[in-house]
Amino acid sequence: MPGLWYWFSPENGLFTDGRQSMRVRGCVALVTGASSGIGTAVAERLAERGATVLVHGRDPARTGDVARRTHGEALLADLALPGAAEQLAADALAVHGRVDLLVASAGAGRSTPFDTMTDDDVSGLVALDLVAPMQLTRALLPGMLGRGSGHLQLIGSVAGRTAVAGEAVYAATKAGLDVFAQSLRMEMDGSGVGVSVVLPGVVDTPFFERRGRANDRSRPRPVSAEAVAARAVRAVEQDDAETWVPGWLRVASVVRALAPATYHRLALRYGEQVRATSYGAGS
């Protein structure tokens, strides 16, 4: 069941969803972070559904390979760098003259106590995981509004709803992305432009290796990137406000909202066992 914000629509009134469904077949889709993981799976799923895919990545070989498999166009950019998001949007628009669907999947994590992170670590994660999707949205949204159709999909994380020890900055960026999507969806009501957020849990991708610490827990069991992609594309087609993968993870956010003290104790016991390194060291 979507969050309460989903049901409020200035035009339609209480308990209406104002859905703005989109047909994927024939649309031009820009998928960021499509050279691996969830992004690759989404690009492939969209191509199967008849979309024309613009495949973004940083690695030329991997990005080109996905573009060939999806019969799409490879676009290279490091979205953590200043101005890169705006340039990517311009490059995407130059290919087909429009972008009907943005799937903002590019992102990175870092698993370490916050007190060990440098300023560059923090600014890099914020730039890639939060600022770049906002900048891409700002660059591509005017065209969608002008045509009266389009969709903006942001790939968030369960970490943005529940918090995770050792991933304070990553979780904060995903929480920001989540609220950005919710706020933007309200603004887009009646415009023909849909907005959705996808909230995956543990996904079987290279993400955990790249964040600096592998996922060594057996529960929850990782889901496949393909399963996330299937739900993500369905969310675009149905204009679902939010999509949890797997769906039962929604329970964690409900417990956190209704019983925060209980949730905190459970998270300390069963969650990531990462603690500040300088605790007790004095000043």
Side-chain angles (χ1 to χ4, degrees):
M1 179 177 179
L4 289 178
W5 63 271
Y6 175 93
W7 301 102
F8 288 84
S9 166
E11 297 295 327
N12 299 318
L14 185 63
F15 299 124
T16 57
D17 59 21
R19 293 197 178 206
Q20 301 174 128
S21 302
M22 177 180 179
R23 181 176 178 176
V24 167
R25 181 171 298 278
C27 81
V28 177
L30 170 61
V31 183
T32 69
S35 61
S36 68
I38 294 173
T40 294
V42 170
E44 292 174 341
R45 183 78 174 186
L46 287 170
E48 291 171 1
R49 301 287 289 173
T52 298
V53 185
L54 301 172
V55 179
H56 159 264
R58 289 190 304 168
D59 183 273
R62 292 204 311 264
T63 306
D65 181 57
V66 176
R68 284 188 292 273
R69 295 204 309 269
T70 58
H71 305 287
E73 183 82 15
L75 299 174
L76 301 177
D78 183 347
L79 292 178
L81 299 178
E86 291 89 343
Q87 185 59 55
L88 174 61
D91 292 344
L93 291 170
V95 179
H96 296 291
R98 73 182 200 277
V99 171
D100 304 305
L101 166 63
L102 168 65
V103 179
S105 178
R110 183 170 173 80
S111 181
T112 186
F114 181 71
D115 64 319
T116 68
M117 296 185 71
T118 66
D119 288 345
D120 287 344
D121 291 334
V122 173
S123 61
L125 285 178
V126 172
L128 176 60
D129 292 349
L130 180 59
V131 176
M134 289 182 172
Q135 292 174 330
L136 283 167
T137 297
R138 186 173 58 185
L140 297 174
L141 180 58
M144 296 182 187
L145 289 173
R147 294 186 296 274
S149 65
H151 195 98
L152 302 161
Q153 183 172 85
L154 307 175
I155 306 299
S157 169
V158 65
R161 290 284 182 94
T162 61
V164 179
E167 295 187 275
V169 177
Y170 173 76
T173 63
K174 292 302 184 180
L177 204 63
D178 186 9
V179 177
F180 174 63
Q182 295 182 27
S183 302
L184 197 61
R185 185 177 175 93
M186 294 178 189
E187 295 181 20
M188 294 301 107
D189 184 74
S191 69
V193 177
V195 183
S196 61
V197 62
V198 180
L199 304 167
V202 181
V203 185
D204 187 13
T205 70
F207 171 84
F208 290 96
E209 298 172 13
R210 295 170 182 168
R211 73 172 182 167
R213 188 164 59 88
N215 176 45
D216 55 3
R217 295 186 297 167
S218 59
R219 294 287 186 275
R221 187 170 62 182
V223 298
S224 68
E226 289 73 21
V228 177
R231 295 290 302 278
V233 173
R234 188 172 73 181
V236 172
E237 294 177 324
Q238 298 181 353
D239 194 29
D240 293 330
E242 63 179 44
T243 299
W244 293 73
V245 189
W248 65 263
L249 283 177
R250 187 186 304 275
V251 174
S253 70
V254 173
V255 173
R256 180 173 179 258
L258 298 180
T262 299
Y263 176 82
H264 181 70
R265 289 193 297 270
L266 291 171
L268 287 176
R269 182 172 181 179
Y270 298 107
E272 299 281 7
Q273 299 301 305
V274 180
R275 302 293 182 265
T277 60
S278 56
Y279 177 74
S283 58

